[in-house]
């Protein structure tokens, strides 16, 4: 029904930049909240950045000032611009779409690997 697909991961040197994309199918994108999460081996999945259907954003303290989340409703795509990358940013990054009507419906992407290493 709703498909969420991440792309843009890869290997980057410390201090480098990367832009992740998350494309969603369906007609509910514009009314959805979107979030980027990440999970490193042996760690719990954590919220990295969130953008609401109205465009408000929030970030994990660890990425604040370095990462920027944005959305393009016409393209049904959310982006995560990642600057000044650090080795501790290495993780699988997941995109989550959710909407809340009477209940909450959520959809997750398959994840994209980001590796920050020299």
């Amino acid at each position: 029904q709703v498909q969420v697909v991440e792309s843009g991961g890869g290997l980057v040197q410390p201090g480098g930049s990367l832009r992740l994309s998350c494309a969603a199918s369906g007609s509910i994108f514009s009314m959805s909240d979107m979030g980027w999460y990440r999970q490193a081996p042996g760690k719990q999945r954590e919220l990295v950045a969130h953008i609401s259907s109205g465009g408000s954003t929030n970030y994990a303290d660890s990425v604040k000032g370095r990462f920027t989340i944005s959305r393009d409703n016409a393209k049904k795509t959310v982006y995560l611009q990642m600057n000044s990358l650090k080795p501790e940013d290495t993780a699988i990054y997941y995109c989550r779409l959710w909407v809340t009507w009477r209940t909450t419906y959520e959809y997750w992407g398959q994840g994209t690997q980001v590796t920050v290493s020299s």
Side-chain angles (χ1 to χ4, degrees):
Q1 186 174 353
V2 175
Q3 299 289 321
V4 179
V5 181
E6 305 98 328
S7 62
L11 175 64
V12 64
Q13 294 183 358
S17 297
L18 207 59
R19 189 179 78 158
L20 306 183
S21 298
C22 174
S25 66
S27 61
I28 65 172
F29 181 87
S30 63
M31 62 189 300
S32 69
D33 281 53
M34 302 290 295
W36 285 99
Y37 298 73
R38 67 186 182 188
Q39 187 168 26
K43 303 287 185 64
Q44 294 293 313
R45 184 175 296 184
E46 64 173 338
L47 176 66
V48 176
H50 163 233
I51 185 165
S52 73
S53 59
S56 62
T57 60
N58 64 81
Y59 301 88
D61 288 341
S62 60
V63 308
K64 198 168 298 181
R66 300 187 297 120
F67 291 9
T68 303
I69 189 170
S70 61
R71 66 192 296 157
D72 185 336
N73 286 346
K75 296 182 177 180
K76 293 189 281 188
T77 301
V78 64
Y79 305 95
L80 185 67
Q81 179 65 46
M82 310 164 69
N83 298 328
S84 301
L85 283 162
K86 305 174 180 179
E88 48 263 46
D89 296 318
T90 296
I92 301 175
Y93 284 70
Y94 297 90
C95 182
R96 177 188 177 225
L97 177 155
W98 72 99
V99 293
T100 301
W101 296 311
R102 192 179 187 276
T103 188
T104 297
Y105 301 83
E106 65 175 357
Y107 305 89
W108 290 86
Q110 82 289 348
T112 185
Q113 177 71 49
V114 172
T115 302
V116 184
S117 177
S118 60

